[in-house]
């Protein structure tokens, strides 16, 4: 069990649900909410993230990308604690469970009234599962061609945030594009940081990530763009949404983000970037929680209620 928990990479899981949290609480702020939708949206997203982690372990393991040159922590197949056969079976099982969660999510969101929406979201679910696997698995793995950033942005930013809100409202609110893009950028930032850390080993293994294609210095500037743009977009969302001053509590999450940017700017040793992965992932989760609370409560009223 210990080895499977390690392979699931628990530290990446809070990041994956950030879009679900923001989209759900935005719906709650407009008097639309259903705990069944929230529950199965969270389970589906967690399933996709765990599946992606298993698939990365499998794909990079069987291709030999995870070798002695890799800077990050050793993965399960690389260490030999889980065999490729076992990991492949785990991917199949996780795919099945995730699809079941997705079907239940679609049922509770649309029931029998919106068959076209149900069909569209079922297709999205299947595509998300396939994309999670194909990132590193197979000869045409898109993560080896530098398209991983696109997948992360679309599914863990736009689809996650917009998708869960649409399940409540059955309509698109374009204002939500701002935090959805911000969460997408921060999620891509985690991937970019991972690729910055593994630049040399990925180059030797033929894994042509964006960092390998563009180089480490370009990747740093790209990283600044992702994180700073995300911070600006959330503030813009708050302004356009008419936030009261105490709803800006989400700004507290900017402190670790700014600290993270300073660390990345000064960094000259890729090995030292590994702790920053956890910091950025948790900062994104922290930001999403505080933003969600700001959407449904005036913080001063909340303090009065509980203190």
């Amino acid at each position: 069990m210990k080895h499977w928990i390690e392979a699931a990479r628990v530290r990446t899981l809070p990041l994956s649900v950030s879009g679900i949290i923001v989209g759900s609480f935005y719906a709650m702020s407009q008097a639309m909410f259903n705990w069944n939708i929230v529950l199965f949206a969270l389970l589906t997203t967690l399933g996709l993230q765990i599946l992606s982690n298993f698939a990365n372990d499998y794909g990079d393991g069987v291709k030999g990308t995870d070798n002695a040159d890799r800077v990050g922590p050793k993965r399960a197949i690389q260490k030999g604690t889980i065999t490729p056969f076992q990991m492949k079976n785990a991917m199949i099982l996780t795919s099945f469970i995730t699809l079941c969660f997705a079907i239940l999510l679609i049922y509770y969101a649309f029931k029998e009234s919106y068959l076209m929406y149900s069909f569209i979201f079922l297709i999205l679910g299947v595509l998300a599962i396939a994309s999670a696997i194909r990132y590193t698995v197979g000869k045409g793995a898109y993560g080896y061609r530098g398209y991983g950033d696109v997948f992360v942005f679309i599914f863990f930013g736009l689809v996650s945030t917009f998708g869960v809100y649409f399940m409540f409202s059955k309509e698109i609110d374009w204002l939500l594009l701002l935090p959805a893009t911000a969460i997408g950028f921060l999620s891509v930032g985690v991937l970019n940081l991972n690729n910055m850390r593994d630049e040399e080993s990925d180059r030797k293994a033929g894994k042509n990530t964006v960092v390998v294609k563009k180089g480490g210095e370009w990747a740093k500037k790209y990283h600044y763009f992702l994180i700073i743009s995300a911070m600006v977009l959330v503030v813009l969302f708050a302004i356009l949404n008419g936030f009261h001053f105490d709803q800006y509590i989400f700004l507290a999450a900017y402190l670790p983000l700014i600290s993270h940017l300073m660390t990345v700017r000064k960094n000259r040793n890729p090995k030292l970037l590994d702790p920053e992965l956890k910091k950025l992932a948790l900062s994104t989760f922290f930001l999403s929680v505080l933003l969600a609370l700001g959407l449904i409560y005036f913080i001063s009223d909340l303090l009065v209620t509980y203190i």
Side-chain angles (χ1 to χ4, degrees):
M1 183 60 67
K2 172 187 173 183
H3 300 313
W4 285 110
I5 292 174
E6 289 177 353
R9 288 185 244 168
V10 176
R11 69 178 181 177
T12 66
L13 301 185
L15 173 69
S16 67
V17 301
S18 296
I20 300 296
I21 292 171
V22 172
S24 297
F25 277 71
Y26 187 61
M28 182 185 286
S29 72
Q30 299 178 8
M32 296 179 289
F33 203 71
N34 182 324
W35 278 112
N36 287 320
I37 294 177
V38 177
L39 173 62
F40 287 107
L42 289 171
L43 290 174
T44 300
T45 303
L46 289 172
L48 285 171
Q49 183 64 62
I50 292 171
L51 173 61
S52 178
N53 291 340
F54 285 168
N56 290 349
D57 199 312
Y58 177 82
D60 286 343
V62 298
K63 285 182 171 71
T65 306
D66 289 340
N67 51 46
D69 294 324
R70 187 172 183 271
V71 176
K74 288 186 176 181
R75 292 174 174 170
I77 290 178
Q78 181 185 6
K79 291 190 296 185
T81 55
I82 297 174
T83 67
F85 177 76
Q86 290 173 321
M87 188 63 77
K88 190 173 183 179
N89 286 337
M91 288 163 54
I92 293 170
L93 178 60
T94 306
S95 297
F96 175 74
I97 292 173
T98 302
L99 182 59
C100 289
F101 286 149
I103 291 171
L104 287 169
L105 169 61
I106 292 167
Y107 169 75
Y108 281 115
F110 302 121
K111 300 290 177 74
E112 300 86 7
S113 303
Y114 301 91
L115 293 180
M116 180 57 71
Y117 292 159
S118 296
F119 177 73
I120 291 172
F121 273 86
L122 181 60
I123 295 299
L124 280 174
V126 172
L127 286 175
I129 290 171
S131 297
I133 296 171
R134 292 290 292 171
Y135 176 61
T136 58
V137 176
K139 293 182 179 180
Y142 62 88
Y144 280 71
R145 295 181 289 168
Y147 299 126
D149 299 49
V150 177
F151 163 76
V152 169
F153 177 74
I154 291 175
F155 284 100
F156 289 99
L158 301 184
V159 173
S160 178
T161 312
F162 262 118
V164 73
Y165 175 77
F166 187 87
M167 287 180 158
F168 288 108
S169 66
K170 315 303 184 291
E171 62 184 23
I172 293 176
D173 186 331
W174 291 108
L175 186 59
L176 195 59
L177 181 63
L178 296 172
T181 300
I183 291 171
F185 280 170
L186 291 169
S187 299
V188 173
V190 174
L191 176 62
N192 184 59
L193 196 65
N194 182 83
N195 292 338
M196 288 169 66
R197 181 197 66 189
D198 295 338
E199 179 184 0
E200 291 306 317
S201 60
D202 284 345
R203 179 174 285 110
K204 291 179 182 178
K207 187 176 183 179
N208 294 313
T209 63
V210 171
V211 178
V212 170
K213 289 181 176 181
K214 299 290 188 177
E217 286 305 311
W218 182 92
K220 275 191 177 184
K221 295 175 183 177
Y222 175 47
H223 200 71
Y224 305 151
F225 165 77
L226 292 169
I227 307 304
I228 294 173
S229 295
M231 295 165 70
V232 171
L233 288 170
V234 175
V235 171
L236 182 58
F237 170 74
I239 294 171
L240 294 177
N241 209 44
F243 271 29
H244 189 259
F245 77 93
D246 58 357
Q247 291 176 286
Y248 283 85
I249 189 174
F250 66 83
L251 292 174
Y254 284 21
L255 297 177
L257 288 174
I258 292 170
S259 173
H260 164 73
L261 285 175
M262 293 174 65
T263 300
V264 171
R265 184 179 65 83
K266 297 175 183 177
N267 180 264
R268 294 293 180 270
N269 182 355
K271 291 182 179 180
L272 300 180
L273 289 175
D274 189 65
E276 294 302 307
L277 286 165
K278 183 177 181 180
K279 180 190 290 185
L280 181 54
L282 290 178
S283 296
T284 303
F285 177 70
F286 184 41
L287 173 61
S288 70
V289 170
L290 292 182
L291 179 59
L293 287 175
L295 282 166
I296 61 172
Y297 291 117
F298 288 126
I299 303 305
S300 57
D301 292 342
L302 190 64
L303 292 175
V304 170
T305 301
Y306 289 99
I307 297 178

